[in-house]
């Protein structure tokens, strides 16, 4: 049979049953939109959760020197463990697989700018601190560098929140503030970032200065905490063990004493997050797929009805020489056309909704749903599979009809 003749006949048949065609197509539209939207929102939510968690720092370990909880080599428990810059250098020199390490000092300072006075948390840190803690300067500013560290320069980097509080709409870069009476040049302001966890307040409300300057002003010798990161996340456990062993050897405590130096390993948080979100996205995909399957069942039922209504027509066509393959192709084409049109409309709705979603202002909570090639490929694969299965069995039944019997019905 001529393809274009089949197509014209198909369009005529669909027009003769407009309500049936509309409802069948709507089922596919709804199912396709459900699959693609759920997959897109799942991916967007995963990305936002990861981004928020990475606001603290990606795959870093935060360590706090504390007190021993185990006796060791004749020394009792409860001893205070204190680490300084020499210990940081020792760990940097001896630890294998270490990408970066930074000391951190904390103190509350009085900040004065013009007529504004407020108490702020000031952190003394190293030049590598920003890369580990996902701190990025706004345009026109910079982070603390080696010259600042080596020269004990009085320069300050502001969190975006404290910058807004002190300067409002004025650009802080190049301005001079006073911290505990000492003048500091503002060299940069942090770009706004999501951060859902912290250990000493959100970065947006903190002020950062070189650790050497911090020690000179406060007289503080020992670090409050230090941060380190492995060159590969898979090596983090081994690196933690090395850090404890290096510190234990110098300060004489049991390397198995987890209380002597407490370590918060954020890689565990990321591993849990990725595992949880993978299961969550799989669940959303299954729910959406079942919705699409229901739409496919509706298409299959409608096609069975169509075959029954057109049994006599099929018998006449076969009596006039139409082959079973042509009959099979005719009904498969009708099913795939309905499925394809419904799927295209469903994907169009998904693209429109995903494009409009960022304007609603929910990005910080659920992220922005992307219609990625993966989402489109999964949806298209499901849609094609369901369309073929929904149309094959009714079409096969039509192709197997006996022409003599069919014309008598």
């Amino acid at each position: 049979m001529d393809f274009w003749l089949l197509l014209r006949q198909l369009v005529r048949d669909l027009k003769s049953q407009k309500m049936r065609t509309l409802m069948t197509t709507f089922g596919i539209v709804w199912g396709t939109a459900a699959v693609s939207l759920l997959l897109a929102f799942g991916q967007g939510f995963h990305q936002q959760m990861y981004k928020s968690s990475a606001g603290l720092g990606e795959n870093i370990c935060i360590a706090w020197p504390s007190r021993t909880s185990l006796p060791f080599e004749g020394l009792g428990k409860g001893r205070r463990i204190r680490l300084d810059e020499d210990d940081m250098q020792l760990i940097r020199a001896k630890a294998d697989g270490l990408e970066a390490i930074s000391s951190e000092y904390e103190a509350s300072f009085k900040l004065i700018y013009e007529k504004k006075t407020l108490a702020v948390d000031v952190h003394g840190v190293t030049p590598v601190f920003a890369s580990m803690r996902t701190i990025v300067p706004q345009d026109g500013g910079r982070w603390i560098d080696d010259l600042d560290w080596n020269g004990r320069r009085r320069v300050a980097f502001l969190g975006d929140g404290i910058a807004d509080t002190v300067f409002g709409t004025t650009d802080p870069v190049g301005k001079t503030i006073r911290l505990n009476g000492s003048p500091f040049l503002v060299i940069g302001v942090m770009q706004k970032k999501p951060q859902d966890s912290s250990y000493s307040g959100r970065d947006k409300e903190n002020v950062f200065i070189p650790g050497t300057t911090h020690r000179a002003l406060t007289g503080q010798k020992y670090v409050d905490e230090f941060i380190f990161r492995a060159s590969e996340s898979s090596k983090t456990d081994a690196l933690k063990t090395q850090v404890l062993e290096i510190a234990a050897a110098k300060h004489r405590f049991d390397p198995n004493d987890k209380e002597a130096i407490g370590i918060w390993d954020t890689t565990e948080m990321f591993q849990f997050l990725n595992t949880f979100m993978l299961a969550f996205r799989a669940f959303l995909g299954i729910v959406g797929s079942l919705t699409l399957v229901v739409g496919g069942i509706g298409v299959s039922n409608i096609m069975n009805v169509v075959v029954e209504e057109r049994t006599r027509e099929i018998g006449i066509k076969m009596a006039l020489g139409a082959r079973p393959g042509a009959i099979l192709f005719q009904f498969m084409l009708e099913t795939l056309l309905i499925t394809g049109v419904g799927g295209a409309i469903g994907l169009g709705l998904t693209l429109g909704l995903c494009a409009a979603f960022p304007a609603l202002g929910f990005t910080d909570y659920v992220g922005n749903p992307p219609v990625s090639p993966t989402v489109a490929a999964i949806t298209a694969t499901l849609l094609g599979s369901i369309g073929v299965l929904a149309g094959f069995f009714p079409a096969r039944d039509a192709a197997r009809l006996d022409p003599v019997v069919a014309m008598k019905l």
Side-chain angles (χ1 to χ4, degrees):
M1 296 179 66
D2 182 74
F3 173 78
W4 296 109
L5 177 62
L6 280 175
L7 189 60
R8 286 196 298 270
Q9 183 178 343
L10 171 60
V11 173
R12 183 198 65 199
D13 293 337
L14 293 177
K15 285 183 177 180
S16 65
Q17 298 290 342
K18 293 181 181 178
M19 184 56 66
R20 178 190 294 170
T21 302
L22 179 62
M23 296 306 296
T24 305
T25 305
F26 177 77
I28 296 298
V29 170
W30 182 263
T32 304
V35 172
S36 53
L37 280 174
L38 287 174
L39 288 174
F41 272 93
Q43 184 174 349
F45 185 56
H46 186 183
Q47 291 174 349
Q48 184 63 25
M49 289 287 290
Y50 194 95
K51 186 178 180 181
S52 297
S53 298
L56 175 65
E58 188 171 358
N59 295 323
I60 62 173
C61 293
I62 304 112
W64 291 272
S66 185
R67 295 182 182 274
T68 60
S69 62
L70 299 173
F72 183 72
E73 294 182 348
L75 299 173
K77 62 182 181 180
R79 289 184 300 118
R80 181 75 177 174
I81 301 300
R82 298 178 183 273
L83 304 185
D84 56 20
E85 289 299 328
D86 290 338
D87 294 294
M88 300 298 104
Q89 291 290 352
L90 184 64
I91 294 171
R92 189 178 291 111
K94 288 189 172 183
D96 295 327
L98 177 69
E99 178 183 308
I101 184 171
S102 172
S103 55
E104 185 172 4
Y105 307 84
E106 298 181 32
S108 179
F109 282 47
K110 182 171 71 173
L111 184 153
I112 299 175
Y113 177 72
E114 295 182 346
K115 296 182 179 181
K116 294 182 178 178
T117 302
L118 64 158
V120 295
D121 290 328
V122 177
H123 296 248
V125 295
T126 69
V128 299
F129 182 85
S131 62
M132 289 192 288
R133 287 291 317 283
T134 325
I135 295 175
V136 180
Q138 294 180 10
D139 292 341
R142 66 174 178 86
W143 176 250
I144 298 164
D145 60 22
D146 290 331
L147 292 176
D148 300 325
W149 172 271
N150 295 328
R152 298 182 182 180
R153 290 178 174 176
R154 295 186 179 184
V155 293
F157 184 91
L158 307 183
D160 56 294
I162 195 70
D164 290 341
T165 300
V166 175
F167 293 95
T169 57
T170 304
D171 185 2
V173 177
K175 301 294 190 297
T176 299
I177 60 174
R178 290 188 174 273
L179 296 174
N180 281 0
S182 299
F184 277 76
L185 177 68
V186 178
I187 58 172
V189 177
M190 185 182 74
Q191 287 185 10
K192 183 179 179 180
K193 67 173 181 177
Q195 183 181 352
D196 64 2
S197 58
S198 66
Y199 56 89
S200 58
R202 297 293 191 262
D203 292 337
K204 66 179 183 178
E205 300 298 339
N206 292 331
V207 177
F208 302 92
I209 65 175
T212 50
T213 308
H214 193 286
R215 297 205 316 271
L217 291 176
T218 63
Q220 183 177 346
K221 179 180 179 181
Y222 301 107
V223 303
D224 287 299
E225 61 267 348
F226 62 97
I227 302 167
F228 60 92
R229 180 166 61 192
S231 55
E232 299 177 16
S233 60
S234 59
K235 298 179 179 179
T236 300
D237 286 339
L239 179 60
K240 287 192 296 183
T241 300
Q242 287 187 72
V243 169
L244 289 174
E245 289 175 347
I246 293 168
K250 180 178 178 181
H251 294 275
R252 298 184 66 192
F253 65 86
D254 191 333
N256 295 316
D257 188 350
K258 303 301 182 183
E259 299 297 324
I261 299 179
I263 298 179
W264 177 14
D265 182 1
T266 65
T267 59
E268 297 173 354
M269 176 177 65
F270 284 104
Q271 289 170 358
F272 170 78
L273 176 63
N274 287 332
T275 302
F276 172 78
M277 290 306 303
L278 180 62
F280 181 64
R281 290 170 62 183
F283 171 74
L284 292 180
I286 291 171
V287 171
S289 299
L290 292 176
T291 305
L292 186 55
V293 167
V294 170
I297 292 173
V299 173
S300 183
N301 288 336
I302 292 297
M303 293 310 299
N304 277 313
V305 173
V306 170
V307 170
E308 290 181 5
E309 290 180 348
R310 294 163 59 181
T311 299
R312 184 176 178 81
E313 173 192 330
I314 295 169
I316 294 173
K317 286 181 178 179
M318 296 182 75
L320 293 174
R323 296 183 177 181
I327 301 298
L328 180 70
F329 179 75
Q330 176 185 350
F331 284 95
M332 284 294 296
L333 180 63
E334 186 170 336
T335 304
L336 292 175
L337 181 62
I338 293 174
T339 305
V341 171
I345 296 173
L347 281 175
L349 287 173
T350 299
L351 289 169
L353 288 171
C354 290
F357 188 81
L360 300 179
F362 296 116
T363 300
D364 290 341
Y365 306 103
V366 297
N368 292 325
V371 184
S372 64
T374 302
V375 170
I378 292 174
T379 304
T381 301
L382 281 171
L383 189 63
S385 301
I386 289 171
V388 170
L389 290 174
F392 175 74
F393 295 104
R396 185 189 62 178
D397 292 341
R400 288 179 174 180
L401 287 174
D402 187 328
V404 177
V405 176
M407 286 190 294
K408 291 182 178 180
L409 297 177

